[in-house]
Amino acid sequence: MKSFAIKTPSKEIEKDLLTKIDFLTKPKGSLGKLEKLAARIGLIQQTLSPKLLKPHNILFAADHGIIEEGVTVSPKEVTWQQLSHFSHGGAGINFLCNQHGFKLVLVDAGVDYDIPEGRGIIDCKIRKSTRNYLHEPAMTPEECDLAIERGAGVVDKVYADGCNIVSFGEMGSGNTSSSSMWMHAFTGIPLADCIGAGAGLDKPGISHKLDVLTRAWENYSGDESPESYIAWFGGYEMVMAVGGMLRAAELGMIIIVDGFIMTACILAASKLNPAVLDYAIFGHQGDESGHKLMLQALNADPILHLDLRLGEGSGAVCAYPIIDSAVRMINEMDNFQSVGVTKYF
């Protein structure tokens, strides 16, 4: 598997960052989470004057073999239909990207459909859908490695376009099941606490989902390494996101983490290289059961809690204006000395 040389940001600048923030014309700590975000972004970029440049939302799409077991209410064709919809505009992620100045990048990672050319969708297809991991690994180690490399390659393209802050989204019927399996594998949280309604399962549907995934876990016969869990239970779109996150961190980019599925991806990425978390800002706590527990396992402090469960990168893009406010605060506010205001804390 491709390795990534991710540098842990130096702490030497941290004291100067905190001093600059503390001496802005406000009571110390009065801008709360904005102050923490500004310090974190300054630390990532190793500067007292951080910048946000050309934000992109990369949306990977793929199908999952596990849906053959009835673990979701979304039929398989929804994946390619929605991917096509994204390319025409008018979906949830489209209006959010338009509102907040994001460029939306669409990637076919493994959709079970021949996507027509000329729609602006990047063809990174590994295979038409993963296999059904109730009976066999979702992908081969070679396919997993290729997905990591292709996800990293997409990030290279947006970085070359001048982007230094990126969010990731996904589309794939059945991917909450795969995320639950990664969550269980990497945190040890009981599988029942990792499973939720996904796209809208009722209580009997959730019980059936738990039964299927429990049997899938019992049938696992890998070597219990992170690479094995990622390939056995993952989706192509999820593994490409893992590769994208790792490459973004290697390039020193800010990563805005979206909901349940993308949190599972940054969790998986951290098992391959823990330093990736130094570049992550968690956009929101979603409504999918288990997301809060996974965030707690990562010691993550999400910016928003809007009961979202759309995916697509929607929560990450929604959080961007708060991140922008934090950067504007550290760059645009006066300090006490420059304006002759008595420091009042």
Side-chain angles (χ1 to χ4, degrees):
M1 182 176 285
K2 179 179 174 66
S3 61
F4 297 86
I6 303 174
K7 296 180 181 179
T8 298
S10 170
K11 296 282 189 179
E12 289 184 12
I13 198 174
E14 188 171 38
K15 182 178 179 181
D16 290 337
L17 277 166
L18 296 176
T19 297
K20 181 178 180 180
I21 292 167
D22 285 347
F23 280 80
L24 299 175
T25 50
K26 59 175 179 56
K28 184 178 179 179
S30 61
L31 282 175
K33 193 170 289 187
L34 294 185
E35 300 187 22
K36 294 179 181 178
L37 284 170
R40 184 167 182 81
I41 294 166
L43 194 64
I44 290 171
Q45 296 186 354
Q46 293 288 289
T47 179
L48 300 181
S49 301
K51 296 179 180 179
L52 305 179
L53 303 174
K54 294 188 177 182
H56 284 58
N57 182 64
I58 302 172
L59 194 158
F60 297 103
D63 282 302
H64 292 243
I66 194 66
I67 69 169
E68 297 168 9
E69 306 302 325
V71 294
T72 178
V73 297
S74 297
K76 185 191 294 186
E77 62 267 22
V78 168
T79 304
W80 72 259
Q81 289 171 351
Q82 275 292 81
L83 183 60
S84 179
H85 185 200
F86 300 146
S87 72
H88 288 96
I93 194 58
N94 294 106
F95 87 79
L96 288 168
C97 284
N98 291 339
Q99 180 184 4
H100 300 306
F102 275 68
K103 183 174 181 180
L104 178 61
V105 179
L106 303 173
V107 182
D108 175 5
V111 178
D112 192 6
Y113 188 79
D114 292 317
I115 304 294
E117 296 182 1
R119 297 195 179 186
I121 299 169
I122 299 173
D123 182 7
C124 289
K125 194 190 298 285
I126 303 289
R127 184 179 183 269
K128 288 185 174 181
S129 177
T130 56
R131 299 163 186 83
N132 183 349
Y133 56 72
L134 178 61
H135 306 296
E136 60 181 324
M139 62 189 78
T140 66
E142 293 76 18
E143 289 170 348
C144 185
D145 292 350
L146 186 57
I148 292 283
E149 291 177 8
R150 289 185 176 176
V154 175
V155 168
D156 282 333
K157 292 178 181 179
V158 305
Y159 181 77
D161 192 36
C163 170
N164 74 352
I165 179 165
V166 62
S167 59
F168 296 91
E170 39 60 41
M171 182 65 214
S173 297
N175 56 17
T176 61
S177 292
S178 298
S179 299
S180 295
M181 298 302 279
W182 279 4
M183 176 181 171
H184 175 60
F186 293 133
T187 68
I189 294 171
L191 191 54
D193 295 329
C194 301
I195 293 171
L201 289 172
D202 56 16
K203 287 185 178 181
I206 295 172
S207 295
H208 172 70
K209 183 177 178 180
L210 175 59
D211 174 66
V212 170
L213 298 189
T214 299
R215 287 186 284 124
W217 181 258
E218 291 169 349
N219 291 340
Y220 170 73
S221 59
D223 63 8
E224 300 184 4
S225 66
E227 294 85 352
S228 174
Y229 285 132
I230 288 169
W232 197 289
F233 297 115
Y236 295 126
E237 84 283 22
M238 295 168 62
V239 180
M240 284 195 194
V242 169
M245 290 170 174
L246 290 167
R247 180 56 175 154
E250 186 176 43
L251 291 168
M253 301 170 73
I254 300 163
I255 302 164
I256 316 175
V257 183
D258 189 45
F260 182 65
I261 294 153
M262 289 298 104
T263 303
C265 290
I266 197 79
L267 172 63
S270 74
K271 298 304 176 181
L272 299 176
N273 193 322
V276 71
L277 293 173
D278 293 326
Y279 296 84
I281 293 174
F282 290 83
H284 78 114
Q285 179 184 312
D287 199 37
E288 177 67 12
S289 177
H291 193 199
K292 181 179 180 180
L293 292 175
M294 185 156 45
L295 290 167
Q296 289 174 345
L298 286 163
N299 295 315
D301 183 18
I303 296 172
L304 304 174
H305 187 180
L306 301 177
D307 298 331
L308 303 178
R309 54 183 179 88
L310 176 63
E312 304 173 10
S314 55
V317 177
C318 274
Y320 178 76
I322 306 299
I323 299 169
D324 186 35
S325 292
V327 170
R328 289 178 181 273
M329 176 204 73
I330 196 172
N331 287 326
E332 298 179 16
M333 279 187 74
D334 292 319
N335 61 51
F336 288 109
Q337 185 177 4
S338 67
V339 294
V341 173
T342 300
K343 183 163 67 80
Y344 56 101
F345 65 87

